[in-house]
């Protein structure tokens, strides 16, 4: 029997799960940390590295205490994080600023410049990240920081993704030469790929902005998949966490990618990691370019496959915003939603409240709802928002399938599917296929699987998954609801591309509102 710790850094808290190599998860604990926002700038979102490390120490000790596990028995610790969450650092890899969190969208202008330069120069990397570089990603955030912090530029040594920064901190690594960087993080968000020799060439970066002179060379270290070791836990952090010094720490990755592993992903699966946003993860032995999809990166999910990532920039955040505006909570507003029928509200809600991550890759979009009348309620909007995120997910899955990504099963992972059977039912009906849901929260279980590999408890990911993954239950689609959603989806898809693209062909949307009324009336009549 081997016990390891799996760590998941989310947007608002860190979760630590202790995993037994035979019985699976044996206990978990979480600790929150502040998210810094500015009312005058909705694109601003940062977090403190020291806050997060303090939370990690507290959560780890809580997990040990609640399970009565002696810290000396923990054989390895692995960690995943949000991304692209970027931190500029100076000498000793000390932070020069806070993390630009994944949902920080201040770098939209920089992202547009990177996209334009990539297409102008014919740089192949832009095609492998969907044809559009995002304000959520590394180079855009780093350029924004360089432009807005001239007094700190001389102290800049390198920039790190969150997962690489935490691993380096825990291992006591203080130089760029000692860094082990995540191929997952750098491949999906920094256009790194062995296909063209790693990072984008210096001349391309400098063509975007001369502030990038020398930056490519500063992004040094080894770029590795997560079956490799980043280092070993330092005595300082072993004491802080209550663990044994010297245990291995594998190279980290993004939370959604390891959540997919913890959800027992196989080739042919699409895993919807539904939380504050949604990440959609798939993997394939061989994958081609997928226009509008965030990244196609070798080894980013499973070292033996190419990982494919897409998603929605806001999901749970939308639900929370609706409840907040209504002066209540999502839990309270959800009471009674199980009685709602497909399309009954007459509302069609696009999920662009935080921009579009896939397939339009446009942070400038905003939420749109069609069909309001004077008696609609916040609960109606919440149900329409759930439907809208499901429609958006279907657009993404169809785009992936059109370009050779096999999708046999859909797994709803993340925290929200565990709390909302309504969401699972709507997704099954909109997608018109069974949706599988883990029988418990798989968050941080993927980290546990990679920790088990690092500890030598298992030789392959598949062996570890078979031993510790939670069983999957099936939510089957309802034929009548699926037929209604087929009508609504055609409207959603038409509006999505007509309003979401500046170069869209002229579209006649005059039928949308009457159709919404007709569909809602048909649903009421059927009752």
């Amino acid at each position: 029997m081997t016990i390891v710790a799996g760590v998941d850094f989310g947007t608002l808290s860190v979760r630590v799960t202790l995993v037994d190599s035979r019985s699976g998860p044996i206990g978990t604990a979480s600790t929150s940390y502040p998210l810094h926002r500015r009312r005058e700038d909705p694109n601003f979102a940062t977090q403190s590295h020291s806050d997060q490390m303090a939370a990690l120490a507290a959560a780890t000790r809580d997990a040990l205490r609640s399970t009565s596990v002696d810290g000396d028995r923990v054989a390895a610790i692995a960690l995943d994080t949000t991304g692209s969450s970027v931190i500029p650092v100076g000498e000793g890899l000390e932070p020069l600023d806070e993390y630009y969190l994944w949902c920080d969208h201040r770098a939209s202008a920089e992202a547009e410049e990177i996209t334009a330069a990539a297409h102008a120069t014919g740089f192949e990397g832009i095609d492998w990240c969907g044809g559009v570089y995002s304000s959520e990603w590394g180079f855009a955030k780093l350029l924004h920081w360089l432009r807005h912090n001239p007094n700190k530029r001389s102290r800049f040594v390198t920039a790190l993704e969150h997962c690489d920064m935490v691993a380096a901190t825990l291992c006591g690594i203080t130089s760029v030469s000692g860094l082990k960087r995540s191929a997952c993080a750098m491949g999906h968000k920094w256009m790194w790929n062995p296909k063209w020799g790693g990072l984008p060439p210096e001349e391309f970066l400098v063509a975007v902005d001369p502030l990038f002179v020398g930056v490519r060379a500063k992004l040094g270290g080894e770029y590795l998949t997560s079956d490799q070791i980043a280092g070993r836990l330092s005595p300082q952090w072993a004491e802080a966490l209550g663990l044994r010094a010297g245990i291995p720490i594998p190279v980290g990755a993004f939370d959604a990618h390891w959540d997919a592993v913890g959800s027992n992903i196989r080739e042919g699966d699409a895993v919807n990691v539904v939380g504050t946003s949604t990440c959609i993860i798939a993997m394939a032995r061989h994958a081609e370019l997928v226009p509008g999809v965030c990244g196609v990166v070798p080894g980013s999910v499973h070292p033996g496959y190419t990982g494919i990532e897409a998603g929605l920039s806001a999901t749970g955040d939308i639900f929370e915003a609706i409840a907040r505006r209504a002066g209540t909570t999502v839990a309270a507003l959800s009471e009674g939603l199980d009685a709602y029928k497909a399309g009954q509200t007459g509302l069609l809600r696009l999920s662009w409240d935080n921009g579009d991550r896939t397939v339009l890759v446009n942070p400038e979009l905003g939420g749109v709802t069609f069909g309001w009348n004077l008696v609609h309620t916040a609960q109606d909007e919440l149900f329409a928002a759930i439907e809208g995120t499901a429609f958006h997910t279907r657009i993404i899955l169809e785009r992936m399938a059109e370009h050779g990504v096999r999708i046999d099963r859909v797994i709803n992972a993340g925290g929200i599917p565990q709390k909302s059977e309504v969401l699972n039912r709507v997704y099954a009906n909109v997608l018109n296929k069974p949706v599988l849901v883990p029988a418990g929260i798989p968050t941080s279980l993927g980290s546990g699987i990679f920790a088990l590999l690092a500890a030598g408890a298992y030789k392959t990911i598949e062996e570890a998954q078979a031993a510790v993954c939670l069983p999957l239950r099936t939510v089957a689609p309802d034929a009548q609801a699926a037929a209604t959603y087929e009508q609504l989806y055609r409207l959603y898809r038409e509006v999505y591309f007509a309003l979401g693209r500046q170069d869209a062909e002229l579209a006649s949307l005059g039928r949308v509102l009457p159709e919404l009324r007709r569909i809602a009336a048909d649903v009421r009549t059927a009752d």
Side-chain angles (χ1 to χ4, degrees):
M1 180 181 72
T2 302
I3 295 177
V4 298
V7 178
D8 172 84
F9 281 90
T11 305
L12 299 175
S13 64
V14 60
R15 176 187 294 268
V16 178
T17 299
L18 299 184
V19 181
D20 184 298
S21 60
R22 295 179 183 173
S23 58
I26 57 175
T28 188
S30 64
T31 302
S32 61
Y33 34 69
L35 168 61
H36 302 143
R37 290 267 195 193
R38 292 178 179 173
R39 185 175 181 83
E40 68 274 16
D41 184 0
N43 291 321
F44 184 96
T46 69
Q47 283 178 331
S48 160
H49 176 66
S50 60
D51 284 348
Q52 292 181 332
M53 297 306 295
L56 172 62
T60 304
R61 287 188 171 273
D62 283 349
L64 294 171
R65 187 181 307 111
S66 65
T67 56
S68 299
V69 170
D70 189 323
D72 286 343
R73 295 181 59 199
V74 176
I77 183 171
L79 54 103
D80 64 50
T81 66
T82 62
S84 187
S85 292
V86 178
I87 190 165
V89 299
E91 289 297 329
L93 305 187
E94 288 295 320
L96 294 175
D97 219 323
E98 294 198 332
Y99 286 98
Y100 275 59
L101 203 63
W102 68 270
C103 52
D104 188 301
H105 289 158
R106 285 176 287 166
S108 57
E110 287 77 8
E112 290 177 3
E113 292 169 41
I114 292 170
T115 299
H119 286 295
T121 60
F123 174 51
E124 183 181 0
I126 196 67
D127 297 323
W128 287 87
C129 62
V132 181
Y133 201 76
S134 171
S135 63
E136 294 184 0
W137 299 349
F139 278 116
K141 289 177 173 175
L142 177 55
L143 181 55
H144 184 275
W145 184 85
L146 290 169
R147 285 175 172 175
H148 290 82
N149 292 275
N151 58 324
K152 297 180 182 179
R153 286 182 206 146
S154 63
R155 297 160 54 200
F156 174 75
V157 169
T158 192
L160 290 169
E161 279 288 339
H162 188 184
C163 59
D164 297 332
M165 180 66 180
V166 176
T169 301
L170 292 177
C171 295
I173 296 169
T174 58
S175 67
V176 175
S177 61
L179 284 172
K180 305 295 190 292
R181 293 186 188 262
S182 167
C184 171
M186 302 306 288
H188 282 289
K189 310 302 183 184
W190 296 77
M191 295 191 287
W192 175 87
N193 198 306
K195 193 173 188 292
W196 48 82
L199 292 169
E202 171 86 358
E203 54 269 25
F204 162 71
L205 295 173
V206 174
V208 175
D209 193 304
L211 287 176
F212 272 143
V213 169
V215 164
R216 187 184 192 277
K218 291 182 178 181
L219 298 175
E222 291 186 79
Y223 289 61
L224 301 169
T225 51
S226 294
D227 54 343
Q228 304 297 310
I229 302 300
R232 294 184 177 275
L233 185 63
S234 71
Q236 173 193 351
W237 279 101
E239 181 178 357
L241 272 58
L243 303 178
R244 173 166 46 90
I247 61 174
I249 301 174
V251 174
F254 287 152
D255 48 5
H257 298 69
W258 279 10
D259 278 353
V261 172
S263 300
N264 213 2
I265 189 173
R266 296 286 188 269
E267 184 175 16
D269 291 345
V271 179
N272 298 323
V273 184
V274 187
T276 53
S277 68
T278 294
C279 277
I280 300 172
I281 304 295
M283 63 186 197
R285 286 287 183 188
H286 306 286
E288 62 179 72
L289 296 173
V290 185
V293 165
C294 304
V296 181
V297 178
S300 66
V301 179
H302 184 302
Y305 293 80
T306 294
I308 302 104
E309 176 194 350
L312 283 64
S313 290
T315 305
D317 273 353
I318 295 176
F319 307 155
E320 292 286 348
I322 293 169
R324 185 173 62 251
R325 287 193 293 267
T328 185
T329 65
V330 173
L333 202 57
S334 297
E335 293 179 9
L337 277 188
D338 54 343
Y340 274 59
K341 305 293 185 182
Q344 78 166 51
T345 66
L347 298 175
L348 188 68
R349 197 186 193 287
L350 296 166
S351 53
W352 290 337
D353 299 52
N354 201 23
D356 184 288
R357 180 182 292 166
T358 315
V359 297
L360 302 172
V361 197
N362 186 350
E364 299 302 317
L365 296 175
V368 179
T369 304
F370 289 86
W372 287 112
N373 62 39
L374 296 177
V375 297
H376 275 122
T377 67
Q379 190 172 56
D380 293 334
E381 185 186 6
L382 178 59
F383 189 73
I386 293 171
E387 292 176 322
T389 62
F391 291 138
H392 194 166
T393 299
R394 179 170 168 179
I395 282 178
I396 294 168
L397 295 183
E398 288 182 353
R399 174 64 64 89
M400 292 166 67
E402 288 166 3
H403 291 271
V405 180
R406 200 179 89 229
I407 300 173
D408 302 326
R409 305 191 306 173
V410 175
I411 301 173
N412 270 6
I416 291 181
Q418 300 296 323
K419 304 172 186 174
S420 176
E421 195 62 12
V422 170
L423 180 138
N424 296 322
R425 171 170 55 84
V426 168
Y427 276 51
N429 292 333
V430 167
L431 301 175
N432 198 18
K433 61 176 60 180
V435 167
L436 306 178
V437 184
I441 297 177
T443 302
S444 71
L445 185 53
S447 299
I449 287 170
F450 281 96
L452 288 169
L453 294 182
Y458 294 103
K459 293 182 179 179
T460 68
I461 289 173
E462 289 78 10
E463 288 178 0
Q465 285 176 316
V468 305
C469 279
L470 301 164
L472 299 170
R473 62 182 180 84
T474 301
V475 179
D478 173 80
Q480 184 175 349
T484 298
Y485 280 136
E486 191 64 36
Q487 299 176 65
L488 284 169
Y489 176 67
R490 288 196 292 268
L491 297 177
Y492 185 95
R493 182 179 176 85
E494 184 176 353
V495 170
Y496 177 90
F497 287 106
L499 294 184
R501 296 174 52 182
Q502 292 186 6
D503 61 348
E505 296 181 2
L506 290 176
S508 176
L509 300 180
R511 71 187 186 93
V512 172
L513 294 176
E515 279 289 283
L516 291 176
R517 285 176 176 267
R518 179 191 64 77
I519 292 169
D522 288 348
V523 171
R524 290 193 296 270
T525 301
D527 290 344

